[in-house]
Structures are given as C-alpha cells and as structure tokens.
Amino acid sequence: MIICHPDDIPASPLDLERLGEEFSLNTTGLSGMYKVKVPETAPLTRRQFEEASKYWPVSFHEDKRIAKLLKGTDVFTDAELQQIHSNMGRAINMAEKAKAKGQVPVGAVAVSPSTNQVLAESHDYRYGDNILHHAVMTCVDMVARSQGGGAWRFPEDTDFVAQSDTSSDGYLCTNYDIYTTREPCVMCAMSLLHSRVQRVFYGKQQASGALGSCYKLHVQAGLNHHYEVFRGVQEAQCHKLEDT
C-alpha cells in the first residue's frame, strides 16, 4: 500500500511503476494503483469523525470544548454570562463617552477573567493627534501603561482607566479578555494578537472587520498566536450607539 498526497501523484494515466520510480519505492508484488480519499487532518468533533470514517479508519479523541462551541450551548455558566454582559456594559459606557466628545462611538475594556478585575477602559480617540487611536489600540496602550509602559499620552478629558494587575507578571494582555462594542479592524486585531490576548468579545460586526466579517485573522494558520472570538454580545445596544 502506497500513500501520498494527490499533488505528488504523477500525471495520468496512473502508472504503478512510474510512481515507484518517482518515490524510489519497490513495487514488486503490487498489482495496481488507484486513488481513494483519506482525511487530511485528525477529526476533532464527532461529526468530523463520522465523515472521515467513511473514507479511512481513524482514531478519535473528541475535543469537548470545540464540540461545545460548535453546538453553541452551555459554553458559559450563568455567572460567566452575567460577567460578560457587565463587562460589555462598561465598553458601551466608554463608547457613549466617545460619542459625547465627537469621537467614533466605540469602547473597549480589558479584563482578567481569573479575577474578574477590570484592567483598562478606553474608547476611540482617532479625531485628534493620532488616527491610530482606535478603541482597541488605546485599550492595549492603557494595559501597557498599567505595566509601566505605554506609547501614547491622552488629554485629561478622555476618562481612560488603567489598573495594575498584581496577580500577573505576564506580557501585556496575556490571558486577558478584551471587550469592544465594534468588531476590530485588521490593525486592531493584529495588535490583540501581538499582545497575546486570550479572548475577544464584540458586539457589532463591520464590513471591514477582521474577526469574522471580512477576514478571520484569529485563526490564520501562519500566525504564532491565536485567540477565541465571540460576537454579538449586547449587539442591539452596540448597533444603537452608531445608528443614532
């Protein structure tokens, strides 16, 4: 039995002797060659296992978290859901402050899920000295400030918040959750990747969004970090911020 990737098979017609020469294999005793479908990767869910088993015997160890996420139920406890909505409420509050100042009405909050401590609160501030001051970017900068860094300085009227996390000595947003009222753009999504954020919760999708709408940056195979994304948190309220 010879197994190889379809792209490596010599041009048709299939020729066993030619394939043996191509891969320096001893084909003595083999009577013929034909193509069959086999799973490219190991199955992670029962549905994938059942589909893969139609073509090839496979072993299966279900990833229960992925199965839960795909099912869409019982992912979070009632207490966790309450905390998620509370944190998004903070982001909405920051977005309202941005709107009152004539800024783009988008807010962002950084939270340590292990302690439920809110570490940073900020909003969009691009209409000023720096067009890069999107809500997520300012939030990451406030986390950096709480750790003794930070690249930007903001006016007094921004009402931004930065709190030190005494329970962590990690790098920037490592193991933190980010809440934002609007789906991050490519720039903001990459800043979250480089900051090593754990999860992102957002309310309103946008056409140029990088976490599901236009791109799915958080699951790109070539990147050295990935994070989970949950959309539609208090979606109606987040839409209302920008529609009125």
Side-chain angles (χ1 to χ4, degrees):
M1 183 183 297
I2 302 172
I3 302 177
C4 62
H5 194 280
D7 294 343
D8 296 329
I9 296 177
S12 297
L14 297 179
D15 185 311
L16 184 60
E17 183 177 350
R18 184 178 175 189
L19 185 62
E21 292 175 356
E22 185 81 15
F23 292 96
S24 302
L25 299 172
N26 183 359
T27 59
T28 303
L30 298 179
S31 59
M33 180 173 68
Y34 57 92
K35 287 196 283 187
V36 296
K37 289 184 177 181
V38 298
E40 186 173 5
T41 59
L44 298 176
T45 66
R46 182 156 298 280
R47 182 176 179 181
Q48 291 177 351
F49 167 69
E50 292 171 352
E51 184 66 22
S53 296
K54 295 177 183 178
Y55 303 100
W56 199 262
V58 294
S59 59
F60 175 56
H61 301 284
E62 185 175 33
D63 187 318
K64 296 187 183 299
R65 175 153 180 79
I66 288 180
K68 267 189 174 183
L69 291 171
L70 289 174
K71 188 177 180 182
T73 57
D74 302 324
V75 177
F76 300 106
T77 66
D78 289 343
E80 288 172 332
L81 286 173
Q82 184 177 0
Q83 193 63 46
I84 288 169
H85 283 275
S86 174
N87 291 331
M88 184 59 77
R90 288 177 175 271
I92 290 172
N93 181 55
M94 294 305 294
E96 289 172 342
K97 291 182 178 181
K99 190 172 185 177
K101 294 180 174 68
Q103 297 290 337
V104 178
V106 181
V109 173
V111 178
S112 172
S114 62
T115 61
N116 289 327
Q117 181 185 357
V118 176
L119 303 170
E121 297 179 69
S122 68
H123 58 65
D124 201 290
Y125 210 85
R126 71 186 72 180
Y127 297 150
D129 295 332
N130 197 327
I131 60 172
L132 301 182
H133 287 169
H134 293 198
V136 166
M137 298 291 285
T138 61
C139 190
V140 170
D141 196 72
M142 295 306 289
V143 173
R145 181 179 296 194
S146 73
Q147 297 173 2
W152 297 324
R153 294 294 176 264
F154 304 102
E156 292 291 332
D157 67 347
T158 54
D159 298 322
F160 291 175
V161 174
Q163 306 264 6
S164 298
D165 182 4
T166 57
S167 66
S168 172
D169 57 357
Y171 167 76
L172 280 179
C173 298
T174 300
N175 297 324
Y176 293 165
D177 292 342
I178 294 290
Y179 294 80
T180 178
T181 55
R182 181 200 284 180
E183 179 183 2
C185 64
V186 172
M187 174 183 71
C188 291
M190 280 301 297
S191 74
L192 294 175
L193 183 147
H194 290 306
S195 302
R196 298 298 186 267
V197 70
Q198 175 177 268
R199 298 182 300 187
V200 177
F201 298 84
Y202 71 83
K204 176 183 180 292
Q205 290 183 272
Q206 63 167 326
S208 59
L211 300 183
S213 295
C214 187
Y215 306 102
K216 295 182 179 179
L217 186 144
H218 56 298
V219 294
Q220 291 298 308
L223 299 176
N224 63 356
H225 179 71
H226 299 92
Y227 47 81
E228 294 182 349
V229 174
F230 300 88
R231 72 183 185 191
V233 181
Q234 297 202 40
E235 185 174 10
Q237 294 92 321
C238 294
H239 269 284
K240 187 176 180 180
L241 282 167
E242 302 189 45
D243 293 341
T244 57

